[in-house]
Amino acid sequence: MTPRRGGRALAAALLVGATAALADPPHTALPAAPWTRVDPIPLGGSGVNAPIRLSDGRLAVFTRAPSSLVLVDPVTGATRSSPVEEPPSTEFAPRCDRRGRLVVLGAGGTLFRLGIDGRVRVAAQLPGALHGLVERPDGTEVAVVSNPQSNLAFVTLRADGGIASVRSVAAGPIGSPVTLADGHVAMGVPRGLAVFEPAGTIRLVPGVENPRHLITVRDATLAVTERAVFPLDADGVPGPPRALPGAIRGWSASGDGEALMWTVGTPAALLRIDAAGAIRRFDAPEFTDWAMVDAVGAMLVVSRTGRLVALEPDGSRRWVVDLQRNTPGQRGIVPQVTPGDRGDAWVTTVDGELLHLWSPPTSSQEAPRANR
């Protein structure tokens, strides 16, 4: 996805169909019983990303070998594939911006915006390796990057996606950035936080050593270290810590005012954490690569091999689906599930299929794909 000389744009016939920003995926409840159907939709290439829900209802998946962008109608299963110069970097998950354009990171560190005609509207060459892209309350986007000299830079983007300004500080970044209250952008550094203010100044806030993750829960932000979690105020100043039962491997946001984290090592655990830093622990499968919480507090745990485990809000097992066992030769999936709006779900495989997980409304038959 590198820019071509002479101004030639990326040739990808993207038909987003609307200019509105992508809405968050519907926060639906996991089914009480496992899905009874797993319908594969060929993508024509190895899947790169979890399906992105576009504003017109379609799903977008990038592939490699060949490099393409595939749009899928979730109702009919019809696909439209268009070639791209290269698949997006896996260091940054593709997303939609407020104008309905797909935002992808190229291998050379360029942040591309694909317009509704599929061509590159803006190619912003970032001054370093991207650590994350966040949005302030006023809609302004800020990219956080670093260079080999361990300088951290906050890159403010224009409304069209081009670079408006760059502010740097001599500090090595840790983790990914987050937006605090009043539009402050925080990034972890070895001895605390670097906080970038809307006015353009950067403050170094001490008090949290080596924050590995910055987590947003409702309107609050938490800094997570190897063994503790610190609630942060609007200026990034940490409050009293709460101990963690283990190092955190990853986390995901939830619509019910909590975040879900999963730990490293044995025994594995899922941690539900609220805005005040209060933690509830649940036993987790050892293979956890990604997890989510549904609208009623049930949890879904996903592995790269295609094993999906649904847990009740109290942590007891609800059901298990093993996608790899029932699709011989499959090497694995992109470990993230995109919920549908009818109790269904979508999963991208690395072998070139988009899997639609669903149950016919009138069916009471349990399929062999799913095991309780």
Side-chain angles (χ1 to χ4, degrees):
M1 245 173 253
T2 54
R4 292 181 174 179
R5 293 180 181 178
R8 286 187 296 169
L10 177 68
L14 175 63
L15 302 176
V16 174
T19 57
L22 172 71
D24 290 333
H27 197 60
T28 56
L30 293 169
W35 296 288
T36 60
R37 294 284 300 273
V38 180
D39 293 345
I41 299 174
L43 296 173
S46 177
V48 174
N49 62 288
I52 305 167
R53 293 179 62 92
L54 302 177
S55 56
D56 66 358
R58 283 180 291 180
L59 302 168
V61 180
F62 287 93
T63 69
R64 61 169 58 91
S67 297
S68 63
L69 172 64
V70 183
L71 302 183
V72 181
D73 185 321
V75 177
T76 66
T79 64
R80 178 162 183 168
S81 179
S82 304
V84 296
E85 293 182 10
E86 63 177 334
S89 169
T90 56
E91 298 299 317
F92 175 78
R95 64 176 68 176
C96 279
D97 66 11
R98 286 176 175 251
R99 298 187 181 188
R101 303 170 299 182
L102 279 173
V103 184
V104 298
L105 180 66
T110 302
L111 202 60
F112 292 96
R113 309 227 174 206
L114 308 184
I116 60 173
D117 60 357
R119 300 183 179 276
V120 173
R121 288 291 180 261
V122 178
Q125 182 63 54
L126 300 175
L130 180 65
H131 290 266
L133 179 67
V134 297
E135 186 176 295
R136 285 173 162 157
D138 63 359
T140 302
E141 290 180 318
V142 177
V144 180
V145 305
S146 65
N147 59 31
Q149 291 73 41
S150 296
N151 290 322
L152 169 65
F154 294 90
V155 182
T156 302
L157 303 177
R158 300 192 304 265
D160 66 359
I163 295 177
S165 65
V166 179
R167 298 289 186 272
S168 301
V169 63
I174 301 175
S176 300
V178 70
T179 304
L180 304 175
D182 300 325
H184 296 71
V185 176
M187 183 71 191
V189 294
R191 297 193 176 277
L193 300 175
V195 178
F196 179 47
E197 300 177 341
T201 57
I202 299 174
R203 292 183 292 107
L204 295 178
V205 181
V208 180
E209 294 284 332
N210 296 312
R212 300 297 179 184
H213 306 275
L214 297 179
I215 296 176
T216 300
V217 183
R218 285 187 176 172
D219 296 327
T221 303
L222 307 172
V224 180
T225 66
E226 194 76 15
R227 290 295 179 183
V229 58
F230 297 76
L232 303 177
D233 67 13
D235 294 317
V237 177
R242 292 177 181 261
L244 289 171
I248 302 303
R249 180 178 181 184
W251 71 280
S252 65
S254 164
D256 61 356
E258 292 183 315
L260 182 64
M261 305 187 294
W262 46 100
T263 63
V264 177
T266 303
L270 291 174
L271 307 178
R272 299 276 291 272
I273 185 166
D274 65 18
I279 298 170
R280 290 185 291 156
R281 183 191 182 281
F282 305 92
D283 292 335
E286 301 293 339
F287 59 70
T288 303
D289 289 310
W290 182 83
M292 62 165 280
V293 181
D294 76 358
V296 296
M299 294 167 280
L300 181 66
V301 179
V302 180
S303 79
R304 295 181 183 276
T305 61
R307 191 169 177 83
L308 282 59
V309 179
L311 303 175
E312 300 289 354
D314 64 2
S316 60
R317 180 170 293 189
R318 178 183 291 184
W319 48 255
V320 179
V321 170
D322 193 341
L323 299 175
Q324 190 177 57
R325 191 195 69 175
N326 296 285
T327 52
Q330 184 202 125
R331 290 181 294 121
I333 66 171
V334 176
Q336 183 173 338
V337 173
T338 300
D341 54 8
R342 299 184 301 276
D344 55 343
W346 300 85
V347 175
T348 303
T349 77
V350 298
D351 290 324
E353 292 181 326
L354 179 64
L355 303 181
H356 185 203
L357 315 180
W358 65 291
S359 298
T362 58
S363 173
S364 60
Q365 186 178 19
E366 191 168 318
R369 297 184 180 88
N371 303 297
R372 287 189 179 276

